[in-house]
């Protein structure tokens, strides 16, 4: 095509785009699409852009939805085919900001809004730091579109936030906090794909933005671990695991992130349990690698090479996991204790499961916390929900492996003496059951004398009597024939 012919064609297209007839405008847009969809050298595409861009951008505010829709398709192809340059976006982004980023939504079409956000994501990925002057426009748009009524716009906007965070992270950091609340509003959306998209978006926001926002997102994320859809729960586990592996200042946020990941170890779906376990193992290994010059850790690695001979019948967490849990548990114990008495049964169950995981990880360090742990465990064992009781009994069994009988007898027996209950006895029985023979033996006589006191062993309540028998059975199980001497 000669230069004159091309110019004539381009002028003709401009006239069509400026026509008062909708049909002519649509025809012009389709003709441009046809040209752009066929192989063209970039120089020719640039000439076309130079000729039609002003008319094309005006159509973004056209009264006809089909014209706006087609104009966005054309703009998308221009962006794809032209080397990034500010002149292609200097008017486009302000227009998009006015259409999408105001309090009162100007763009009425859901499909057009969706195409706008898709175009925005393409711009972010392709233009990167060339978008620096337009960061405020981007933020305005995303704050609004993330809360759009159309689920597909929500999802695409969340994806757009992720790309923004990854590709323009230096500028994203400053503004990331503004996006937290809008994204969190999607956590409760009825479509599970929207919930997943918002969770992934929050993951990237924290990873590349201001990590202090974890304070605001940890609780909503924890609530999503109760989501009925396994894919939603898996998304929470995924971002928690990634934070623990990749977040720059992750050591400062262990107490917020660990419960998210470790709760997944007891998920009802095996694949989620495995995902959480793999992440947790990797987190521990990474900690060892990063702190291999730490003298205390080196001593543990050098001298604690064998697993304890008296240990629960479960895989032992690696040393890094144990150290992280030991350093974190003191910040979590009050929260776990409170949630063991929560009015929602599922929260009580999850807290009991989390307690099991932490006791298994902190091992002998649990001794320093046992005085705080026992009262909420007693109360939880009086619970009507068997799921709570089963997990608390398991936690109590783990205590028996790691806490010396002298310590727990000193705490439990006076409490039982003062106010014996089924919950107290259940915890005591479970701890006794997992105690080591050689360490429990010296206390056998004292425990036996205590249990046989009339005000302790005599009750008209069958449940109470069963727990007295359970304590006796635990003693026999551990001390065996010595009990009968």
């Amino acid at each position: 095509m000669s230069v004159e012919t091309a110019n004539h064609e381009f002028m003709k297209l401009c006239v069509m785009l400026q026509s008062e007839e909708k049909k002519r405008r649509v025809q012009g847009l389709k003709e441009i699409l046809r040209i752009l969809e066929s192989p063209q050298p970039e120089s020719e595409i640039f000439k076309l852009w130079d000729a039609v861009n002003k008319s094309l951008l005006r159509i973004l505010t056209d009264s006809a939805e089909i014209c706006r829709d087609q104009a966005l398709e054309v703009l998308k192809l221009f962006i794809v085919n032209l080397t990034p340059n500010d002149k292609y976006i200097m008017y486009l982004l302000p227009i998009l900001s006015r259409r999408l980023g105001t309090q009162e939504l100007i763009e009425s079409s859901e499909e057009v809004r969706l195409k706008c956000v898709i175009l925005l994501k393409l711009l972010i990925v392709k233009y990167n730091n060339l978008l620096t002057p337009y960061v405020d426009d981007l933020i305005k748009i995303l704050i609004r579109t993330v809360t759009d009524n159309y689920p597909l716009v929500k999802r695409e906007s969340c994806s757009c936030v992720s790309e923004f965070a990854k590709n323009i992270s230096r500028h994203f950091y400053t503004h990331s906090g503004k996006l937290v609340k809008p994204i969190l509003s999607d956590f409760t959306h009825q479509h599970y794909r929207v919930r997943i998209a918002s969770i992934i978006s929050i993951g990237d926001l924290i990873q590349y933005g201001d990590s202090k926002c974890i304070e605001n997102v940890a609780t909503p994320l924890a609530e999503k671990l109760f989501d009925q859809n396994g894919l939603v729960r898996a998304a929470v586990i995924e971002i928690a695991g990634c934070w623990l592996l990749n977040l720059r200042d992750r050591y400062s946020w262990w107490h917020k992130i660990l419960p998210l990941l470790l709760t997944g170890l007891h998920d009802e779906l095996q694949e989620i349990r495995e995902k959480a376990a793999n992440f947790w193992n990797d987190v521990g290994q990474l900690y060892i690698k990063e702190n291999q010059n730490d003298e205390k850790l080196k001593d543990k690695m050098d001298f604690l090479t064998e697993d304890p001979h008296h240990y629960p019948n479960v895989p032992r967490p690696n040393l890094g996991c144990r150290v992280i849990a030991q350093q974190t548990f003191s910040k979590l114990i009050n929260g776990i204790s409170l949630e063991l008495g929560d009015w929602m049964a599922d929260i009580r169950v999850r807290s009991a499961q989390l307690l099991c995981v932490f006791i298994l990880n902190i091992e002998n360090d649990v001794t320093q916390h046992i005085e705080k742990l026992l009262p909420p465990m007693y109360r939880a064992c009086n619970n009507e929900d068997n799921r709570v009781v089963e997990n608390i009994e398991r936690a109590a069994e783990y205590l028996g492996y790691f806490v010396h009988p002298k310590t727990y007898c000193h705490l439990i027996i006076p409490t039982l003496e003062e106010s014996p209950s089924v919950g107290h006895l259940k915890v005591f029985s479970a701890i006794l059951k997992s105690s080591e023979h050689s360490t429990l033996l010296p206390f056998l006589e004292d425990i036996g004398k205590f249990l046989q006191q009339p005000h302790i062993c005599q009750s008209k309540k069958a449940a109470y009597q069963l727990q007295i028998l359970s304590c006796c059975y635990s003693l026999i199980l551990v001390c065996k024939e010595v009990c009968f001497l």
Side-chain angles (χ1 to χ4, degrees):
M1 186 186 295
S2 68
V3 174
E4 284 186 14
T5 307
N7 288 338
H8 177 72
E9 285 294 319
F10 295 163
M11 287 297 293
K12 183 180 172 184
L13 288 171
C14 285
V15 170
M16 293 172 75
L17 294 180
Q18 294 169 17
S19 172
E20 292 185 2
E21 293 181 32
K22 180 178 79 173
K23 186 177 178 181
R24 290 277 290 162
R25 297 197 299 276
V26 172
Q27 189 181 348
L29 290 165
K30 287 184 175 178
E31 183 61 27
I32 297 173
L33 273 174
R34 185 189 63 77
I35 295 169
L36 291 173
E37 285 170 350
S38 61
Q40 298 281 343
E42 187 174 340
S43 58
E44 289 300 313
I45 296 173
F46 173 73
K47 288 175 185 176
L48 177 58
W49 166 266
D50 205 38
V52 304
N53 74 86
K54 291 179 182 177
S55 302
L56 184 62
L57 289 169
R58 273 197 291 271
I59 291 181
L60 289 178
T61 60
D62 197 284
S63 59
E65 178 183 333
I66 189 170
C67 292
R68 302 195 303 275
D69 185 284
Q70 291 291 299
L72 286 164
E73 290 292 336
V74 171
L75 283 164
K76 182 180 174 184
L77 287 178
F78 272 125
I79 296 299
V80 167
N81 289 297
L82 291 169
T83 303
N85 192 302
D86 183 64
K87 63 187 173 188
Y88 304 134
I89 60 173
M90 61 189 297
Y91 299 115
L92 172 60
L93 277 165
I95 291 172
L96 291 178
S97 180
R98 285 196 297 274
R99 301 288 296 174
L100 302 176
T102 54
Q103 192 65 35
E104 187 177 343
L105 199 60
I106 295 173
E107 179 50 69
S108 57
S109 166
E110 291 179 340
E111 293 299 332
V112 172
R113 294 201 300 274
L114 177 60
K115 287 191 175 182
C116 285
V117 177
I118 290 171
L119 178 63
L120 199 64
K121 186 165 79 170
L122 173 64
L123 286 169
I124 289 169
V125 172
K126 187 161 185 177
Y127 275 65
N128 291 327
N129 290 321
L130 282 175
L131 292 176
T132 299
Y134 309 100
V135 165
D136 287 340
D137 286 324
L138 290 174
I139 293 294
K140 279 181 190 175
I141 293 169
L142 291 172
I143 285 173
R144 190 69 182 80
T145 57
V146 157
T147 59
D148 196 280
N149 291 329
Y150 188 32
L152 288 178
V153 173
K154 285 179 181 287
R155 284 166 55 187
E156 198 63 34
S157 298
C158 286
S159 177
C160 206
V161 170
S162 291
E163 293 299 340
F164 187 3
K166 294 172 188 174
N167 289 281
I168 321 174
S169 54
R170 187 161 61 92
H171 299 285
F172 179 79
Y173 182 94
T174 312
H175 299 277
S176 55
K178 299 173 186 175
L179 290 162
V180 171
K181 191 174 179 180
I183 297 172
L184 289 180
S185 70
D186 290 337
F187 271 33
T188 53
H189 195 272
Q190 61 182 349
H191 292 183
Y192 79 90
R193 286 190 176 91
V194 172
R195 300 199 296 276
I196 291 172
S198 60
I199 289 167
I200 293 170
S201 180
I202 283 291
D204 290 323
L205 185 148
I206 298 297
Q207 180 66 51
Y208 299 98
D210 187 354
S211 62
K212 291 178 183 175
C213 295
I214 286 181
E215 294 280 4
N216 300 319
V217 306
T219 300
L221 282 170
E223 290 169 358
K224 289 298 100 187
L225 290 169
F226 296 98
D227 198 284
Q228 292 183 344
N229 191 295
L231 294 173
V232 175
R233 301 196 302 275
V236 177
I237 299 302
E238 182 76 28
I239 68 162
C242 288
W243 285 346
L244 287 169
L245 290 171
N246 303 313
L247 198 63
R248 287 184 297 275
D249 51 350
R250 57 189 177 276
Y251 286 26
S252 304
W253 299 110
W254 278 341
H255 64 293
K256 292 290 184 182
I257 307 172
L258 275 188
L260 299 175
L261 179 65
L262 298 185
T263 298
L265 295 173
H266 282 274
D267 194 273
E268 60 193 47
L269 295 179
Q270 183 180 345
E271 54 264 40
I272 294 179
R273 295 196 298 271
E274 289 175 355
K275 181 192 281 281
N278 290 335
F279 266 125
W280 183 223
N281 183 65
D282 291 346
V283 169
Q285 296 292 357
L286 179 63
Y287 180 83
I288 293 171
K289 183 179 177 181
E290 290 177 336
N291 295 275
Q292 55 189 335
N293 294 325
D294 183 276
E295 290 300 325
K296 289 182 180 178
L297 190 65
K298 281 175 72 176
D299 289 344
K300 289 180 180 178
M301 291 171 67
D302 292 340
F303 298 108
L304 301 179
T305 53
E306 295 182 6
D307 289 344
H309 68 278
H310 184 65
Y311 192 81
N313 187 28
V314 292
R316 191 185 189 196
N318 66 55
L319 178 60
C321 294
R322 302 199 302 271
V323 172
I324 292 171
Q326 288 162 8
Q327 293 181 15
T328 308
F329 189 61
S330 60
K331 294 180 180 178
L332 296 171
I333 186 170
N334 289 336
I336 292 174
S337 299
L338 279 173
E339 290 188 347
L340 285 175
D342 195 272
W343 67 276
M344 287 182 65
D346 285 344
I347 290 179
R348 296 197 299 274
V349 173
R350 287 295 168 93
S351 298
Q353 291 170 340
L354 192 59
L355 180 59
C356 290
V357 173
F358 267 104
I359 292 173
L360 200 58
N361 277 271
I362 65 177
E363 297 188 348
N364 295 336
D365 267 40
V366 76
T367 302
Q368 63 183 297
H369 304 292
I370 189 171
E371 191 170 0
K372 274 189 176 181
L373 283 175
L374 286 173
M377 289 176 72
Y378 298 147
R379 290 191 292 272
C381 264
N382 285 320
N383 204 285
E384 293 178 359
D385 193 318
N386 287 331
R387 298 173 302 164
V388 178
V389 175
E390 285 172 9
N391 281 288
I392 290 297
E393 286 183 317
R394 185 179 295 115
E397 283 186 31
Y398 290 161
L399 285 176
Y401 283 100
F402 303 120
V403 180
H404 195 279
K406 182 179 180 180
T407 302
Y408 66 69
C409 285
H410 174 72
L411 294 169
I412 295 175
I413 289 177
T415 309
L416 266 172
E417 182 80 58
E418 188 177 319
S419 55
S421 74
V422 171
H424 288 78
L425 291 170
K426 279 184 179 178
V427 172
F428 194 28
S429 171
I431 294 176
L432 290 171
K433 188 191 298 183
S434 56
S435 296
E436 191 175 10
H437 174 88
S438 60
T439 58
L440 183 59
L441 209 54
F443 301 91
L444 177 61
E445 187 174 346
D446 290 341
I447 295 171
K449 285 180 180 178
F450 170 75
L451 290 175
Q452 71 179 7
Q453 294 178 97
H455 70 285
I456 296 295
C457 70
Q458 294 176 11
S459 173
K460 292 180 180 179
K461 296 177 181 177
Y464 182 90
Q465 288 296 103
L466 279 172
Q467 293 311 313
I468 288 288
L469 290 173
S470 180
C471 288
C472 295
Y473 176 74
S474 294
L475 288 171
I476 294 169
L477 197 66
V478 175
C479 298
K480 298 184 171 56
E481 66 277 356
V482 180
C483 295
F484 305 105
L485 295 178

